[in-house]
Amino acid sequence: MYQNLRLSKHWLMMDFMHDPAVYEAYKPLPFEKIVTEEVVDQGIQLCTELIEPMMETWGVASVSAGYRPYGFGAAGPHRWSHDAGSAADFIFHDWVNREGSPIKLAEELMFSDLSFERIITYAGSEVVCLAVKRDNPRFAIIENRNHPDKAQERPKRIVHCNCKDDHLKHPLGFQGFVDWRRWPNQPLHHAKGQIRPQHVRVGRYFTLLDFCRDEFGIERGLPRVVVPEVSKRQIIYARMFADILDPLTNEVGRLAVIEGLVPPALTKIYDKQTALLRSWMGGRARVKFVLPEGVGHEAALPYLQDAEGVTGIDVEDHGSGDAVAITLQIKPFRPRTLYASDKLYGYAGGLVPDHLEAYSHLLMP
């Protein structure tokens, strides 16, 4: 199964199997037909040669959009082939939390020693699209930007450079884009203006999409991702889990969730007790995650045992090498820190920011 297939120290194939183009299609996808040796090889290259080294510099990342099998649009490296290379969309959380703009990340990547096919940034979005290719990589930097005098104009695509030696020809391409955040009511051109689970940051190192994980939805073609506009209670639960897992992530590195939140159509697959724990609609809830390769449970337990809300911890070996999987069960509590896509909101003493006051009754049973 894809949830046991490891691509690198911090990444499993499952992390890349929840692309919007795929989870919105509702088509059954037989794992053995869509995840071939070629696809796995491309995923390993993307993770080991680019994303893992980038995380050493820019911190933990989340996938926004990943692998798309043939038949789901998005031609090119998102299909993961030897001819086109491989690509995925990422959010580098610490970079975003430090107010680093994606185009400045692209600039630093250009001046690094890393090889890449392209990096694409999007106006008003934390997301960057990263691609690798073994043969003749272009080192292309592409920015979707808003026109300065026409705020609602669709961003234009500008290729700044096609090789590392070419960046000096475009010295202005990386300047003047520090204020990159969306302002109120500004449409999100990335993802056709839709706020999707990957745009809802629920913790220092997590988006809502990080927790939308299941074992069966892909094979059965069932909807497996909640919609932010109608899932306020589930978003609060995701914030609870992120509140517990952020300190552990800060210590050991990125955690790969393999069993998390599932929408109503998927809860019908499970027994009643499992469905209640994974629907995140009230009472106790459960999530299962895999530690980075080589990290034992002894390193994780001190961060989990005394955390608020934790009612159960189960440790088992995982199918990907020497990795360890941990099942964490919680009861509702009030998260200490709330993160949002436009900025960080922190609060203490039980105070809740005004914009979240309407959700406060959902925090407790």
Side-chain angles (χ1 to χ4, degrees):
M1 292 291 289
Y2 53 87
Q3 59 261 42
N4 293 336
L5 185 57
R6 179 169 293 279
L7 302 178
S8 67
K9 178 179 179 179
H10 294 98
W11 297 96
L12 304 177
M13 187 66 201
M14 188 174 192
D15 295 316
F16 297 93
M17 297 289 284
H18 294 263
D19 186 279
V22 180
Y23 66 64
E24 293 172 356
Y26 308 144
K27 296 180 181 179
L29 294 175
F31 171 75
E32 66 277 4
K33 292 183 179 180
I34 64 171
V35 182
T36 63
E37 291 185 7
E38 179 184 34
V39 167
V40 174
D41 179 65
Q42 290 298 310
I44 291 174
Q45 182 192 11
L46 175 64
C47 292
T48 59
E49 297 182 15
L50 184 59
I51 307 306
E52 292 280 5
M54 286 187 68
M55 290 204 303
E56 292 179 5
T57 301
W58 292 289
V60 172
S62 289
V63 173
S64 172
Y67 166 56
R68 299 180 185 178
Y70 281 87
F72 291 90
H78 271 277
R79 289 181 176 176
W80 292 21
S81 68
H82 289 303
D83 292 336
S86 54
D89 293 0
F90 296 88
I91 298 171
F92 287 84
H93 295 286
D94 282 340
W95 179 264
V96 172
N97 293 336
R98 294 196 302 266
E99 296 294 316
S101 66
I103 192 62
K104 295 300 290 185
L105 186 149
E107 179 184 21
E108 292 200 10
L109 180 62
M110 173 58 68
F111 283 93
S112 75
D113 295 329
L114 298 176
S115 175
F116 61 95
E117 167 67 7
R118 73 176 190 209
I119 178 171
I120 304 176
T121 69
Y122 305 90
S125 175
E126 307 93 326
V127 173
V128 293
C129 179
L130 292 160
V132 296
K133 188 178 179 183
R134 284 196 172 94
D135 298 327
N136 302 315
R138 294 182 299 154
F139 300 101
I141 296 181
I142 303 171
E143 182 189 9
N144 291 286
R145 76 168 67 160
N146 276 328
H147 190 283
D149 299 322
K150 298 178 181 179
Q152 302 305 313
E153 181 180 354
R154 186 173 180 82
K156 295 181 179 180
R157 181 165 293 184
I158 302 172
V159 179
H160 291 305
C161 38
N162 289 320
C163 69
K164 288 209 171 189
D165 294 333
D166 199 32
H167 64 268
L168 292 178
K169 299 178 182 178
H170 305 275
L172 299 180
F174 301 106
Q175 299 179 14
F177 298 100
V178 177
D179 186 17
W180 60 275
R181 304 268 189 187
R182 294 187 298 277
W183 54 84
N185 301 318
Q186 179 188 0
L188 182 66
H189 293 286
H190 187 217
K192 299 180 180 179
Q194 299 174 342
I195 298 297
R196 289 169 164 161
Q198 60 266 34
H199 302 132
V200 181
R201 299 183 66 236
V202 296
R204 177 178 176 183
Y205 297 117
F206 296 93
T207 70
L208 180 60
L209 184 63
D210 286 321
F211 290 107
C212 295
R213 295 290 186 267
D214 73 277
E215 308 93 303
F216 305 112
I218 290 176
E219 288 85 352
R220 303 191 184 193
L222 295 173
R224 55 192 178 277
V225 172
V226 298
V227 181
E229 286 79 1
V230 297
S231 59
K232 295 182 177 64
R233 184 183 298 272
Q234 294 162 317
I235 291 173
I236 292 298
Y237 269 91
R239 293 188 190 279
M240 296 178 200
F241 280 113
D243 200 63
I244 296 171
L245 296 178
D246 273 339
L248 174 60
T249 303
N250 188 59
E251 177 65 22
V252 305
R254 182 184 181 275
L255 308 176
V257 176
I258 57 173
E259 294 180 16
L261 167 61
V262 296
L266 269 170
T267 59
K268 299 175 183 178
I269 296 175
Y270 304 103
D271 61 81
K272 183 177 181 181
Q273 180 61 29
T274 302
L276 289 173
L277 289 172
R278 296 190 59 180
S279 62
W280 297 10
M281 292 300 294
R284 299 179 186 272
R286 189 180 78 190
V287 70
K288 186 176 183 179
F289 60 90
V290 177
L291 294 170
E293 191 172 32
V295 177
H297 69 278
E298 300 86 356
L301 291 183
Y303 292 89
L304 304 175
Q305 289 170 329
D306 299 325
E308 185 176 3
V310 173
T311 61
I313 302 171
D314 183 63
V315 179
E316 60 185 291
D317 291 334
H318 187 250
S320 59
D322 63 352
V324 176
I326 296 179
T327 300
L328 184 69
Q329 185 167 301
I330 67 169
K331 62 182 180 179
F333 68 96
R334 190 180 297 272
R336 294 183 297 274
T337 306
L338 299 182
Y339 287 75
S341 292
D342 53 348
K343 62 180 67 174
L344 162 67
Y345 294 93
Y347 65 96
L351 299 177
V352 181
D354 291 341
H355 77 292
L356 291 169
E357 190 63 45
Y359 300 166
S360 60
H361 68 285
L362 301 175
L363 291 168
M364 300 299 290

